[in-house]
Amino acid sequence: MDGDYVIGGVFAIHHYMHTLKYNYTTMPEPLRCTGSIVSRELRFSRAMVFAIEEINNSTELLPGIKLGYQIYDSCASVPVAVHVAFQLSSGPDPVFYTGDNCSQSGMVMAVVGESGSTPSISISRIVGSFNIPQVSHFATCACLSDKQQYPTFFRTIPSDQFQADALAKLVKHFGWTWIGAVRSDSDYGNNGMASFLDAAHKEGICVEYSESFYRTHPRSRIQRVADVIRRSTAMVVVAFTSPGDMRILLEELSLKPFPPRQWIGSESWVTDPDMLRFSFCSGAIGFAIEQSVIPGLRDFLLDLSPSKVAFSPVLTEFWEDTFNCSLGKSAATDKSICDGTEDIQMIQTPYTDTSQLRITNMVYKAVYAIAHAIHNAVCQETNSTTQCDKFTKTEPREVLTQLKKVNFSQNGYDVSFDANGDPVAKYELVNWQKSESGSIELVTVGHYDASLPAGQEFSINRKLTWVEGGTQVPVSVCTDSCPPGTRKVLQKGKPICCYDCILCPEGEISYVTDSPDCFPCPKEFWPNAERDTCLLKSVEFLSFSEILGIILAVFSVGGACIATITAAIFYRHRKSPIVRANNSELSFLLLFSLTLCFLCPLTFIGPPSEWSCMLRHTAFGITFVLCMSCVLGKTIVVLMAFKATLPGSNVMKWFGPPHQRMTVVFLTFIQVLICTIWLVLSPPFPMTNLTTYKERIILECALGSAIGFWAVLGYIGLLAVFCFVLAVLARKLPDNFNEAKLITFSMLIFCAVWITFIPAYVSSPGKFTVAVEIFAILASSFGLILCIFAPKCFIILFKPEKNTKKHLMNKNQS
């Protein structure tokens, strides 16, 4: 249609170009399209006509000016698109030229289209050379935002860069880390997928495969891509393809059964009504341009009749294909002649479907954006009225300048361009859901607004349906998430999403899912069995509440009671010969020291404290030395007593009771001195042992000075050995009751216990170290009291007839 200013339009009304064979001897045939008409693209072109007619009837926008249009079919091919671009750029066509030099008739001010990115790139490079602005409604390649290469390119649909980022965030949102990817082998698919893969990598998403194809490729290439999808382990497939390419792939996939796949689609194909017939894609999700309403468009689209379509070869072809009849006078094919009863309102095709106006609205907005730019270039606002001069000489360069500044709202939809010629990115999240009738419907389930702060772009306000009608989000991971308590170890030669889950080492935990590392617990803590939490280590010490502690305490108190009872028996029979023999004073002192020895283990039981640590070793050392001193004194008394019976011997005057007391005091003082030096220089102290057991804390008494400890034990051992040697020497001295024999047995037990104690003490861990020491104390104490005092108590209590001086002094009686 002619007009004062002409707007060009380029749409892929057919998807294939007639293949030409060049022989270079004759002129080639004109370029022409083949295949059936793409109803959706026809609707786009008709929406452009509708918008121009609406503007021409407007009294506010371009009043008094008539817009014309030149609409071409690009056949979705670059050669035809280039040919069309030259036609749009070459000025007035003789067909449209009227000879009126004052009119702008025939000059194209701007171009709407093309639908594909690759043809749009070709068109932009040509029309851009003439400063003719191009506003695409469907070319989304991010490359077109480069103003150095495409300075005159604008679009009303967001760049694929925004869609790629949104798709990556969508995949991440649902926890899919292992995906497959297919794309059209075109500028749209290659650039879009490159942007998506870059964004997916930043989100930690791994791609099992990335395949490209194009609808004109050999079928073997399409079959190979389909086989890759069938064999893959990735549940989710992201497809960045054009509708024509996707249709070829899905038709190939439908020929053989394959595992269910969750499809994630780019805007280009996921909103195409013609794609909804592939029911095995039910549950597909993707981003779509916001749904819109264009008042009056449906009536305009349906306002077709045989007489109207006859003036347009494209509409004629569409009519004949739709009703399977011919508008010609005679049927050139097997089609019958159209009889005039055909009614476009009674059929359902993508052309007549206005329930999902998305890209159609982008065409509508593109036309209005160009009209506003022309309006700003040729119209003047005076006294609240608009005056437009259709004879004003206007160049496409001026329209280009004004197009950069447009900012208006049409039917409630804002239209503006940023410095790259891109609009604000807003999408709807759409889902393929089965209706009650069983057909697939496109349902809006959420929104995405790239202008919102990070993390707030998504809003999902409706329940989604997944692959095969499922209600649970499908899982698509190379490896299941590693639970807390394990860490990820990457599998050699595979992407980072493929890993093995290794249990955390001993003493370390991980408390989050998919942890790359395990972390050691603090010293006072230890992991639980699952190794996902650090628990406070259990504290271990020999306590009065546990069985071992109770048993040792009972024996300790029992031994003290036995010693006390023995002392009471001896005191009750202190005048008897058996008590008076071998110095009864030393016997009572020995029983007193044994009572203290039996009570010493009580200081070893319970939580260690500063005072208990110092008391337990020193009290044990001093009481045992007192005990050994008494035994040694008794042994010396036995030897001296028999030496005194020899003629002329007066040895007893040198080892009488005062000397015996002095000997005990002197020997005990040496131990007191050793203990005092130990406590002053480096006393024992309580400590927490974190090294013996990894999972427990041992409360124990550190020796402070190991030399001090072994000096105490060594001194006791020295006295015991000396006492044992003297007792052995006196064991065969005559007498019915030779106490040296009893002392010899007691010293044998004492030495055996403490010799065994040393390796047991060194090798026993934790509280058992304390138990070994207590056992040694009790065993040696019981050995002394049983060997020395039990025979005497037996005679006192049960054999009183032997408790006489005559019996004791009878040297001939065995």
Side-chain angles (χ1 to χ4, degrees), residues 55-68:
I55 293 168
N56 289 338
N57 294 328
S58 172
T59 57
E60 297 179 358
L61 186 61
L62 292 173
I65 290 181
K66 179 184 178 183
L67 293 179

Side-chain angles (χ1 to χ4, degrees), residues 250-267:
L250 294 182
E251 287 173 350
E252 181 63 39
L253 283 171
S254 65
L255 298 178
K256 296 179 183 178
F258 67 99
R261 293 288 181 261
Q262 175 62 52
W263 293 90
I264 310 296
S266 62
E267 203 286 333

Side-chain angles (χ1 to χ4, degrees), residues 507-691:
E508 297 185 5
I509 66 161
S510 64
Y511 48 85
V512 295
T513 301
D514 287 335
S515 175
D517 296 298
C518 296
F519 307 97
C521 289
K523 290 184 178 180
E524 296 79 12
F525 292 83
W526 189 253
N528 58 355
E530 292 76 23
R531 300 189 183 180
D532 57 3
T533 304
C534 286
L535 303 177
L536 192 63
K537 289 182 179 179
S538 59
V539 178
E540 180 182 277
F541 59 89
L542 188 60
S543 69
F544 288 102
S545 59
E546 60 181 301
I547 296 177
L548 181 59
I550 293 172
I551 293 174
L552 294 174
V554 167
F555 275 95
S556 177
V557 175
C561 293
I562 291 173
T564 304
I565 293 170
T566 303
I569 293 172
F570 267 53
Y571 183 77
R572 175 71 177 79
H573 300 87
R574 64 186 178 278
K575 301 295 184 179
S576 61
I578 201 168
V579 175
R580 295 181 63 188
N582 297 78
N583 196 331
S584 61
E585 186 178 340
L586 285 180
S587 294
F588 282 111
L589 188 57
L590 177 57
L591 286 169
F592 172 71
S593 64
L594 283 172
T595 304
L596 295 179
C597 287
F598 278 119
L599 294 177
C600 269
L602 298 179
T603 63
F604 286 80
I605 303 174
S609 65
E610 188 174 346
W611 286 104
S612 69
C613 286
M614 290 190 293
L615 179 63
R616 62 174 59 171
H617 290 106
T618 54
F620 150 70
I622 293 171
T623 55
F624 257 81
V625 166
L626 178 60
C627 181
M628 288 296 100
S629 300
C630 294
V631 174
L632 183 60
K634 291 174 74 66
T635 307
I636 294 173
V637 167
V638 172
L639 284 172
M640 293 301 177
F642 283 99
K643 292 287 184 182
T645 62
L646 298 175
S649 175
N650 59 351
V651 70
M652 284 304 296
K653 74 176 184 178
W654 299 108
F655 201 72
H659 298 93
Q660 296 169 21
R661 297 189 199 101
M662 288 295 295
T663 301
V664 171
V665 171
F666 176 74
L667 294 176
T668 305
F669 176 75
I670 294 174
Q671 184 74 305
V672 172
L673 185 62
I674 294 173
C675 291
T676 302
I677 295 172
W678 182 16
L679 294 179
V680 170
L681 296 180
S682 182
F685 58 91
M687 67 168 287
T688 55
N689 185 344
L690 302 172
T691 57

Side-chain angles (χ1 to χ4, degrees), residues 5 56 198 216 423 677 757 763:
Y5 299 99
N56 289 338
D198 183 58
T216 58
I677 295 172
F757 161 78
S763 61

Side-chain angles (χ1 to χ4, degrees), residues 55-103:
I55 293 168
N56 289 338
N57 294 328
S58 172
T59 57
E60 297 179 358
L61 186 61
L62 292 173
I65 290 181
K66 179 184 178 183
L67 293 179
Y69 56 82
Q70 295 180 21
I71 299 177
Y72 294 87
D73 183 359
S74 68
C75 309
S77 68
V78 171
V80 177
V82 170
H83 180 73
V84 167
F86 278 115
Q87 283 186 299
L88 292 170
S89 306
S90 60
D93 191 284
V95 174
F96 299 102
Y97 184 59
T98 60
D100 186 355
N101 292 329
C102 297
S103 173

Side-chain angles (χ1 to χ4, degrees), residues 388-389 613 618 770 805:
C388 299
D389 186 3
C613 286
T618 54
V770 178
K805 186 175 181 180

Side-chain angles (χ1 to χ4, degrees), residues 711-730:
V712 169
L713 284 184
Y715 183 61
I716 296 172
L718 179 65
L719 292 180
V721 171
F722 187 47
C723 187
F724 175 70
V725 171
L726 292 179
V728 170
L729 293 176

